[in-house]
Amino acid sequence: MTRAFFALLARDLRLAVRLGGGGGMAVFFFLVVISLLPFGIGPDRELLAKVAPGMLWVALLLAALLTLDRLFQADYEDGSLDLLTMGLLPLELIVVAKALGHWLTTGLPLVVAAPLLGLMLNLPGEAYPPLILAMLAGTPALSFLGAIGAALTVGVRRGGLLASLLVMPFYVPVLIFGVGAADAATGGFAGEAGRQSLLLLGAVALASLVLGPLGGAAALRANLR
Amino acid sequence: MAGMNMISAAQRFHAYANPARFMALSARLLMPLAALTALLTGAGLWFALAASPPDYQQGETVRIMYVHVPSAWLAMMGYGVMAVASAVALIFRHPLADVCAKSAAPIGAAFTFLALLTGSLWGAPMWGTWWEWGDARLVSMLVLFFLYLGYMALWATIEEPVRAARAAAVLALVGSINLPVIRYSVVWWNTLHQPASVFRMDGPTIAPSMLLPLGLMGAGFTLLFVTLLLVRMRAEILRRRVRNLRLAQAGGAGEV
Amino acid sequence: MTISELSLSVRDLACERGGRLVFEGLSFSLRGGEALVLTGSNGAGKSSLLRQLAGLLDVAQGVMAFEGGDPELSLGEQAHYVGHLDALKPSMTVMETVSFWRTYLGSIPEGADTALEALGLAHLADLPAAYLSAGQRRRLSLARLIAVPRPVWLLDEPTVALDAASVARLVALMTSHLGQGGMIVAATHLDLGLAEARQLRLGAEALT
């Protein structure tokens, strides 16, 4: 069973690397959204620094959503998903493998790109450690919660847009606590608030690691049979 | 009549620069070009880093300019090469043109990135920040970088080379028409928000002592671009041959 | 796969899709070494029945009992399903595809070569699936049957896109599978000439 799990994960990673789509495209999207921001609100450094954590989180969220719709759809369209469910791996673990693959090829590259974009928004130095930490904790939640939306819309026409709409509300806590962690460091709140935000974010992420596979598997069962 | 002329012109093109001939010619050119590149860039770097005086205003940081300016120049030239090659590919269906356009993109993108990086490094001591939205050149360069990335992403996404070439060529041409508009809008946006005294990258005048290293670096980088372009084009042609061989392998020996 | 007697019995099976009753009251039984060929007009429910057997489609009513296999596993987990879709990734090579399914479905990482040999794909092992013709893609899809030993084969029009030589190869593989005590349920328009094949005609009564 472990072997099947890693075979599936390795296959997804290999496909992501070969297609060059997925993660690279998400990082590109992230970069473009962040770069458009100053054109919209002006190049004022203080202003940019102030909105930087929030904008980085929102853009990261959108970039993660963008790649979500292919999570099960590609396997559904070519018939692989049927065969995957006929293996010995429970559907829940299939969802875990897919979501983990999504995080490794999309979430992680986005977190790596974030500090660079922080520089462009003049994010103050002390905000980087909590921001990166929060993103490392929060992005798995994006992948695992997103898996539910992707599973719900598998086989649906224009499912990508629908999946985004369905998942967005689930992302609200991640956004609030994620921004909270970085904001606290720049002096928005007292230091204690930042620690709290990080802990709450961690809790949300851990909960999503359970909720995502269960919900995703249930949604796939409902959709496929 | 015009159509007939066009066809014969296209045929003549094929005769002069078919891939096989290109492979033979480029193989002979590659070593001399590489040597000349090394020579010019080496000399340029020596003048730029050691044999020229520091700037009276900017001090040693001015030396970044010797890399930054040629990079920015090649970033734009790369897009020019890409756009022209795309136009040739669309109009004359020249077999090497889309190879050239595809190969130029990553090199141009790399020079654009280098220009952005050096601009940012230069800006750090000047502006006190790694990135300054008040500098229209740097911001335009960023948009150019996006155009390159989009172009490369399109090539990477479409599997079949002929279709990818067509689509990418259209994108490159639309981009080249749009570039001046983008550039103008960025400058306009910039002057709108201009804080009183932003120190500009270009500076008021260029001292004569800077011209020699700058010229050498410019020539060296241009040759570097050409050399890399040839290498990449050769690689791309070989990649397509491999693809064709594989297709033949799947088709020809299918039913053993 | 053990030689111990396999048996599959289906009683009073019904299938409903999108509110429409595709078939009902379907019963048959099958033993190891036997093949069941499903025939019937379009929409009679051949594909639906195969998907139900594979566990890919809910059973509206009725009982399916499979005995003689691994009691821990469901029928779907002991069956191969070859549907209309080839389930191939264009960027994965022939070898990688078979190795993946071998590891994933059967947890056997090594030895995908025999499956490629059996389907005549050995010389294409390093080729990405994108380069394959329709018939080669189908054969690669069928290679799963050999790569991972499972007692039950559920085949939905397996001969589509195959040429005569490949059909003969497939029939030989099916015969040998039956000879080892396996069972096959196949929907096909082509007379495969299987020695032990029984026929089940779907949809005749649904026409009323």
Side-chain angles (χ1 to χ4, degrees), chain C residues 5-13 26 28-31 52-53 59 62-69 73-75 78 152 183:
Chain C
E5 192 73 356
L6 299 173
S7 83
L8 170 67
S9 71
V10 168
R11 270 190 313 278
D12 203 24
L13 194 68
L26 187 79
F28 67 86
S29 65
L30 200 64
R31 287 141 55 99
Q52 280 185 330
L53 291 173
V59 172
V63 194
M64 294 189 302
F66 180 65
E67 274 153 31
L73 302 175
S74 72
L75 173 55
Q78 300 175 71
V152 183
M183 59 171 67

Side-chain angles (χ1 to χ4, degrees), chain A:
Chain A
M1 208 138 87
T2 340
R3 208 175 249 164
F5 178 85
F6 284 110
L8 179 58
L9 182 62
R11 183 199 73 148
D12 273 15
L13 295 182
R14 179 183 282 166
L15 287 174
V17 170
R18 293 218 178 135
L19 289 179
M25 215 76 102
V27 171
F28 183 21
F29 181 82
F30 192 22
L31 184 64
V32 172
V33 170
I34 289 299
S35 308
L36 283 181
L37 177 71
F39 292 122
I41 65 174
D44 178 17
R45 273 191 223 163
E46 269 93 75
L47 185 62
L48 286 177
K50 210 166 158 189
V51 299
M55 283 314 299
L56 285 172
W57 263 107
V58 169
L60 181 137
L61 237 144
L62 292 176
L65 274 179
L66 189 74
T67 49
L68 215 55
D69 63 313
R70 298 308 290 168
L71 193 57
F72 297 110
Q73 191 67 15
D75 280 328
Y76 172 77
E77 280 167 7
D78 67 16
S80 302
L81 196 53
D82 281 343
L83 300 182
L84 291 180
T85 63
M86 292 178 68
L88 305 185
L89 203 59
L91 208 45
E92 285 77 7
L93 283 180
I94 295 178
V95 177
V96 172
K98 305 282 300 178
L100 192 59
H102 180 260
W103 180 71
L104 286 172
T105 56
T106 308
L108 202 55
L110 286 172
V111 176
V112 171
L116 192 70
L117 302 182
L119 282 183
M120 295 180 68
L121 293 182
N122 200 31
L123 185 73
E126 62 271 23
Y128 285 95
L131 183 73
I132 303 308
L133 208 57
M135 282 181 168
L136 275 179
T139 42
L142 300 185
S143 292
F144 277 81
L145 290 174
I148 302 177
L152 281 171
T153 54
V154 75
V156 175
R157 261 189 313 133
R158 298 177 57 83
L161 192 60
L162 181 60
S164 304
L165 294 176
L166 296 180
V167 164
M168 215 80 89
F170 297 116
Y171 282 1
V172 170
V174 178
L175 183 62
I176 289 177
F177 298 130
V179 175
D183 263 353
T186 61
F189 317 111
E192 186 58 21
R195 214 175 58 85
Q196 268 175 16
S197 297
L198 262 183
L199 288 177
L200 285 168
L201 184 63
V204 169
L206 287 177
S208 75
L209 291 189
V210 179
L211 192 63
L214 291 179
L220 281 180
R221 258 184 220 113
N223 248 336
L224 291 180
R225 289 177 188 171

Side-chain angles (χ1 to χ4, degrees), chain C residues 86-135:
Chain C
D86 289 325
L88 303 178
K89 299 292 177 188
S91 61
M92 274 167 74
T93 68
V94 169
M95 187 54 141
E96 283 168 352
T97 307
V98 176
S99 298
F100 167 70
W101 288 119
R102 222 173 137 74
T103 318
Y104 183 83
L105 293 174
S107 290
I108 350 172
E110 306 296 326
D113 312 275
T114 44
L116 294 184
E117 298 277 350
L119 272 301
L121 291 166
H123 64 294
L124 303 173
D126 295 328
L127 219 56
Y131 295 102
L132 300 183
S133 71

Side-chain angles (χ1 to χ4, degrees), chain B residues 3 18 94 111 152 158-159 161 163 187 194 197 199 203 235 247 256:
Chain B
N18 65 33
H94 189 282
F111 277 117
M152 282 153 61
I158 304 180
E159 193 102 355
R163 212 157 61 82
V187 171
Q194 196 59 262
S197 62
F199 199 86
L247 278 175
V256 187

Side-chain angles (χ1 to χ4, degrees), chain B residues 118-137:
Chain B
T118 49
S120 164
L121 286 176
W122 179 88
M126 291 295 131
W127 300 318
T129 168
W130 293 99
W131 185 262
E132 173 57 59
W133 290 94
D135 190 290
R137 284 167 184 254

Side-chain angles (χ1 to χ4, degrees), chain B residues 81-172:
Chain B
V81 168
M82 217 169 82
V84 170
S86 298
V88 172
L90 271 186
I91 299 167
F92 298 110
R93 301 281 148 85
H94 189 282
L96 280 175
D98 63 273
V99 172
C100 174
K102 183 186 180 185
S103 309
I107 310 173
F111 277 117
T112 314
F113 184 73
L114 200 59
L116 286 170
L117 193 72
T118 49
S120 164
L121 286 176
W122 179 88
M126 291 295 131
W127 300 318
T129 168
W130 293 99
W131 185 262
E132 173 57 59
W133 290 94
D135 190 290
R137 284 167 184 254
L138 220 47
V139 175
S140 315
M141 211 39 97
L142 182 66
V143 179
L144 183 67
F145 187 55
F146 292 157
L147 284 175
Y148 273 122
L149 287 187
Y151 179 87
M152 282 153 61
L154 187 62
W155 264 108
T157 314
I158 304 180
E159 193 102 355
E160 208 235 320
V162 177
R163 212 157 61 82
R166 205 76 52 81
V170 171
L171 179 68

